[in-house]
Coordinates of all heavy atoms in Angstrom, one line a residue:
D1 N -17.8 11.5 3.8 CA -16.9 11.9 4.9 C -15.6 11.0 4.8 O -15.2 10.4 5.9 CB -17.6 11.7 6.3 CG -16.7 12.3 7.4 OD1 -16.0 13.4 7.1 OD2 -16.8 11.8 8.6
L2 N -15.2 10.8 3.7 CA -14.0 10.0 3.4 C -12.7 10.5 4.1 O -11.8 9.8 4.3 CB -13.8 9.7 2.0 CG -14.5 8.5 1.4 CD1 -14.6 8.5 -0.1 CD2 -13.8 7.2 1.8
E3 N -12.6 11.9 4.2 CA -11.5 12.5 4.9 C -11.3 11.9 6.3 O -10.2 11.7 6.7 CB -11.6 13.9 4.8 CG -10.3 14.6 5.2 CD -9.2 14.5 4.2 OE1 -9.4 14.2 3.1 OE2 -8.0 14.4 4.6
S4 N -12.4 11.8 6.9 CA -12.4 11.1 8.3 C -12.2 9.6 8.2 O -11.4 9.0 8.9 CB -13.6 11.5 9.1 OG -13.7 10.9 10.2
E5 N -12.8 9.1 7.5 CA -12.9 7.4 7.2 C -11.5 6.9 7.0 O -11.2 5.9 7.6 CB -13.9 7.1 6.2 CG -14.2 5.7 6.1 CD -14.9 5.1 7.4 OE1 -15.6 5.9 8.1 OE2 -14.7 3.9 7.7
W6 N -10.8 7.5 6.0 CA -9.6 6.8 5.6 C -8.4 7.1 6.6 O -7.3 6.4 6.5 CB -9.1 7.2 4.2 CG -8.4 8.7 4.1 CD1 -8.9 9.9 4.3 CD2 -7.0 8.8 3.8 NE1 -8.0 10.8 4.0 CE2 -6.8 10.1 3.8 CE3 -6.0 7.9 3.5 CZ2 -5.6 10.7 3.4 CZ3 -4.7 8.5 3.1 CH2 -4.6 9.9 3.2
Q7 N -8.6 8.0 7.6 CA -7.7 8.2 8.6 C -7.9 7.4 9.9 O -7.2 7.4 11.0 CB -7.5 9.6 9.0 CG -7.1 10.5 7.7 CD -7.0 11.9 8.1 OE1 -6.4 12.3 9.1 NE2 -7.2 12.8 7.2
K8 N -9.0 6.5 9.8 CA -9.4 5.7 10.9 C -8.4 4.6 11.2 O -7.9 4.1 10.0 CB -10.7 5.2 11.0 CG -11.8 6.4 11.1 CD -13.2 5.7 11.1 CE -14.3 6.9 11.2 NZ -15.7 6.3 11.1
E9 N -8.2 4.0 12.3 CA -7.3 2.9 12.6 C -8.1 1.6 11.8 O -9.3 1.4 11.9 CB -7.3 2.6 14.1 CG -6.5 1.3 14.5 CD -6.3 1.1 15.9 OE1 -6.7 2.0 16.8 OE2 -5.8 0.0 16.3
G10 N -7.4 0.8 11.2 CA -7.8 -0.3 10.5 C -8.1 -0.1 8.9 O -8.3 -1.1 8.2
F11 N -8.2 1.2 8.6 CA -8.7 1.4 7.1 C -7.6 0.8 6.1 O -7.9 0.2 5.2 CB -8.9 2.9 6.9 CG -9.3 3.2 5.6 CD1 -10.6 3.2 5.3 CD2 -8.5 3.5 4.5 CE1 -11.1 3.6 3.9 CE2 -8.8 3.8 3.2 CZ -10.2 3.8 2.9
C12 N -6.4 1.1 6.4 CA -5.3 0.6 5.6 C -5.2 -1.0 5.4 O -5.1 -1.4 4.4 CB -4.0 1.1 6.0 SG -2.5 0.7 5.0
S13 N -5.5 -1.6 6.6 CA -5.4 -3.1 6.6 C -6.5 -3.7 5.6 O -6.4 -4.8 5.2 CB -5.8 -3.7 7.9 OG -4.7 -3.1 8.7
T14 N -7.6 -2.9 5.4 CA -8.7 -3.6 4.4 C -8.6 -3.2 3.0 O -9.4 -3.6 2.3 CB -10.0 -2.9 5.0 OG1 -10.1 -1.6 4.8 CG2 -10.3 -3.1 6.6
L15 N -7.5 -2.5 2.6 CA -7.4 -2.1 1.3 C -7.2 -3.2 0.2 O -6.4 -4.2 0.6 CB -6.3 -1.1 1.1 CG -6.6 0.2 1.7 CD1 -5.4 1.2 1.6 CD2 -7.8 1.0 1.0
P16 N -7.8 -3.3 -0.8 CA -7.7 -4.5 -1.8 C -6.4 -4.4 -2.6 O -6.0 -3.2 -2.8 CB -8.9 -4.5 -2.5 CG -9.3 -3.0 -2.7 CD -8.8 -2.4 -1.3
L17 N -6.0 -5.6 -3.2 CA -5.0 -5.5 -4.1 C -5.4 -5.1 -5.5 O -6.7 -5.3 -5.8 CB -4.4 -7.0 -4.2 CG -3.6 -7.5 -3.1 CD1 -3.5 -9.0 -3.3 CD2 -2.1 -7.0 -3.2
I18 N -4.6 -4.5 -6.3 CA -4.9 -4.4 -7.8 C -4.6 -5.7 -8.4 O -3.6 -6.3 -8.1 CB -4.0 -3.3 -8.4 CG1 -4.4 -1.9 -7.9 CG2 -4.0 -3.3 -10.0 CD1 -3.6 -0.7 -8.5
P19 N -5.5 -6.3 -9.2 CA -5.4 -7.6 -9.9 C -4.0 -7.6 -10.6 O -3.5 -6.7 -11.2 CB -6.6 -7.5 -11.0 CG -7.7 -6.7 -10.3 CD -6.8 -5.6 -9.6
R20 N -3.4 -8.8 -10.3 CA -2.1 -9.2 -10.9 C -1.0 -8.6 -10.3 O 0.2 -8.7 -10.7 CB -2.1 -9.1 -12.5 CG -3.0 -9.9 -13.3 CD -2.7 -9.8 -14.7 NE -1.4 -10.5 -15.0 CZ -0.3 -9.8 -15.5 NH1 -0.4 -8.5 -15.7 NH2 0.9 -10.4 -15.7
S21 N -1.1 -7.8 -9.3 CA 0.0 -7.0 -8.7 C 1.0 -7.9 -7.9 O 2.2 -7.7 -7.9 CB -0.5 -6.0 -7.7 OG -1.3 -6.6 -6.6
Q22 N 0.5 -9.0 -7.4 CA 1.4 -10.0 -6.8 C 2.4 -10.7 -7.8 O 3.6 -10.8 -7.6 CB 0.6 -11.0 -6.0 CG 0.0 -10.5 -4.7 CD -0.9 -11.5 -4.1 OE1 -1.8 -12.0 -4.7 NE2 -0.8 -11.6 -2.7
Q23 N 1.8 -11.0 -8.9 CA 2.6 -11.7 -10.0 C 3.6 -10.6 -10.6 O 4.7 -10.9 -10.9 CB 1.7 -12.2 -11.1 CG 2.5 -12.8 -12.2 CD 3.4 -14.1 -11.7 OE1 2.8 -14.9 -11.0 NE2 4.6 -14.1 -12.1
F24 N 3.1 -9.3 -10.6 CA 4.1 -8.3 -11.1 C 5.2 -8.2 -10.2 O 6.3 -8.0 -10.8 CB 3.2 -7.0 -11.2 CG 3.9 -5.6 -11.1 CD1 4.8 -5.5 -12.2 CD2 3.8 -4.7 -10.1 CE1 5.5 -4.3 -12.3 CE2 4.7 -3.5 -10.2 CZ 5.5 -3.4 -11.3
I25 N 5.0 -8.0 -8.8 CA 6.3 -7.9 -8.0 C 7.2 -9.2 -8.1 O 8.4 -9.0 -8.2 CB 5.7 -7.8 -6.6 CG1 5.0 -6.5 -6.4 CG2 6.9 -7.8 -5.6 CD1 5.7 -5.2 -6.7
E26 N 6.6 -10.4 -8.4 CA 7.3 -11.5 -8.6 C 8.2 -11.4 -9.8 O 9.3 -11.9 -9.9 CB 6.5 -12.8 -8.5 CG 6.0 -13.2 -7.1 CD 7.2 -13.3 -6.1 OE1 8.2 -14.1 -6.5 OE2 7.1 -12.7 -5.0
D27 N 7.6 -10.9 -10.9 CA 8.2 -10.6 -12.2 C 9.4 -9.6 -12.0 O 10.5 -9.9 -12.6 CB 7.3 -10.2 -13.2 CG 6.2 -11.2 -13.7 OD1 6.5 -12.5 -13.4 OD2 5.2 -10.9 -14.3
L28 N 9.2 -8.7 -11.2 CA 10.3 -7.7 -10.9 C 11.5 -8.3 -10.2 O 12.5 -8.2 -10.5 CB 9.8 -6.5 -10.2 CG 8.9 -5.5 -10.9 CD1 8.4 -4.4 -9.9 CD2 9.6 -4.9 -12.1
R29 N 11.0 -9.1 -9.3 CA 12.1 -9.9 -8.3 C 12.8 -10.9 -9.3 O 14.0 -11.1 -9.0 CB 11.5 -10.4 -7.2 CG 10.9 -9.6 -6.2 CD 10.2 -10.2 -5.1 NE 9.8 -9.4 -4.0 CZ 8.7 -9.6 -3.1 NH1 8.0 -10.6 -3.2 NH2 8.6 -8.8 -2.2
S30 N 12.3 -11.5 -10.3 CA 12.9 -12.4 -11.1 C 14.0 -11.8 -12.0 O 14.8 -12.5 -12.6 CB 11.9 -13.0 -12.0 OG 11.4 -12.2 -12.9
L31 N 13.9 -10.4 -12.0 CA 15.0 -9.7 -12.7 C 16.3 -9.6 -11.9 O 17.3 -8.8 -12.4 CB 14.6 -8.3 -13.2 CG 13.2 -8.3 -14.0 CD1 12.7 -6.8 -14.4 CD2 13.5 -9.0 -15.4
D32 N 16.3 -10.2 -10.8 CA 17.5 -10.1 -9.9 C 17.8 -8.7 -9.5 O 19.0 -8.3 -9.3 CB 18.8 -10.7 -10.6 CG 19.7 -11.3 -9.6 OD1 19.3 -11.7 -8.6 OD2 21.0 -11.2 -9.9
V33 N 16.7 -8.0 -9.0 CA 16.9 -6.6 -8.3 C 16.2 -6.7 -7.1 O 15.4 -7.4 -6.9 CB 16.5 -5.4 -9.4 CG1 17.2 -5.4 -10.6 CG2 14.8 -5.8 -9.6
H34 N 16.5 -5.7 -6.2 CA 15.8 -5.5 -5.0 C 14.7 -4.8 -5.3 O 14.8 -3.7 -6.0 CB 16.8 -4.7 -3.9 CG 17.9 -5.7 -3.4 ND1 17.6 -6.8 -2.6 CD2 19.2 -5.6 -3.5 CE1 18.7 -7.3 -2.1 NE2 19.6 -6.7 -2.8
V35 N 13.4 -5.1 -4.9 CA 12.2 -4.3 -4.9 C 12.0 -3.6 -3.6 O 11.8 -4.4 -2.5 CB 11.1 -5.2 -5.4 CG1 9.7 -4.3 -5.4 CG2 11.4 -5.7 -6.7
L36 N 11.9 -2.3 -3.5 CA 11.6 -1.6 -2.2 C 10.3 -1.0 -2.5 O 10.1 -0.4 -3.6 CB 12.7 -0.6 -1.9 CG 14.1 -1.1 -1.7 CD1 15.1 -0.1 -1.2 CD2 14.1 -2.2 -0.6
F37 N 9.4 -1.0 -1.4 CA 8.2 -0.2 -1.6 C 8.5 1.1 -0.9 O 8.9 1.3 0.1 CB 7.1 -0.8 -0.8 CG 6.6 -2.1 -1.7 CD1 7.2 -3.4 -1.3 CD2 5.6 -2.0 -2.6 CE1 6.9 -4.6 -2.0 CE2 5.2 -3.2 -3.3 CZ 5.7 -4.4 -3.0
V38 N 8.0 2.1 -1.7 CA 8.2 3.6 -1.3 C 6.8 4.2 -1.3 O 6.1 4.4 -2.2 CB 9.1 4.4 -2.1 CG1 9.3 5.9 -1.6 CG2 10.5 3.6 -2.3
T39 N 6.3 4.6 0.1 CA 5.0 5.0 0.1 C 5.0 6.3 1.1 O 5.8 6.4 2.0 CB 4.1 3.8 0.8 OG1 2.7 4.3 0.8 CG2 4.6 3.4 2.0
S40 N 4.0 7.0 0.8 CA 4.0 8.3 1.7 C 2.7 8.1 2.7 O 1.5 8.0 2.3 CB 3.5 9.6 0.8 OG 3.5 10.6 1.6
P41 N 3.1 8.2 3.9 CA 2.0 8.0 5.0 C 1.1 9.3 5.3 O 1.6 10.4 5.1 CB 2.9 7.6 6.3 CG 4.1 8.5 6.2 CD 4.4 8.4 4.6
P42 N -0.2 9.0 5.5 CA -1.1 10.2 5.7 C -0.6 11.0 7.0 O -0.1 10.2 8.0 CB -2.4 9.7 5.8 CG -2.2 8.2 6.2 CD -0.9 7.8 5.6
R43 N -0.8 12.3 7.1 CA -0.4 13.0 8.3 C -1.1 12.6 9.6 O -0.5 12.6 10.6 CB -0.5 14.6 8.0 CG 0.0 15.4 9.0 CD -0.3 16.9 8.6 NE 0.6 17.2 7.5 CZ 0.5 18.3 7.0 NH1 -0.3 19.2 7.3 NH2 1.3 18.6 5.9
N44 N -2.5 12.3 9.5 CA -3.2 12.2 10.6 C -3.7 10.8 11.0 O -4.6 10.6 11.8 CB -4.4 13.1 10.5 CG -4.0 14.5 10.4 OD1 -3.3 15.1 11.0 ND2 -4.9 15.3 9.5
N45 N -3.0 9.8 10.4 CA -3.3 8.4 10.6 C -2.1 7.8 11.3 O -1.1 7.3 10.6 CB -3.7 7.7 9.5 CG -4.3 6.2 9.8 OD1 -3.7 5.6 10.6 ND2 -5.3 5.8 8.9
K46 N -2.1 7.7 12.7 CA -0.8 7.3 13.4 C -0.6 5.8 13.3 O 0.5 5.3 13.5 CB -1.1 7.6 14.9 CG -1.0 9.0 15.2 CD -1.1 9.4 16.6 CE -1.2 10.9 17.0 NZ -1.4 11.2 18.3
T47 N -1.6 5.0 12.9 CA -1.5 3.6 12.7 C -1.1 3.1 11.3 O -0.8 2.0 11.0 CB -2.7 2.8 13.2 OG1 -3.8 3.2 12.3 CG2 -3.0 3.1 14.7
W48 N -1.2 4.0 10.4 CA -1.0 3.7 8.9 C 0.4 3.0 8.7 O 0.4 2.1 8.0 CB -1.3 5.0 8.0 CG -1.3 4.7 6.6 CD1 -0.2 4.5 5.8 CD2 -2.4 4.7 5.8 NE1 -0.6 4.3 4.5 CE2 -2.0 4.5 4.5 CE3 -3.7 4.8 6.0 CZ2 -2.8 4.2 3.3 CZ3 -4.6 4.7 4.9 CH2 -4.1 4.4 3.5

């Protein structure tokens, strides 16, 4: 019942990082560019 589970309040907050992703973003920033996160919110999760 993941369709219901992932739309619950608090689900997004518990998601884990992909390993090395923080260093990856720092490496991009070191190129002297703005890094913007572009993400698509789910339709039925108002707190996402």
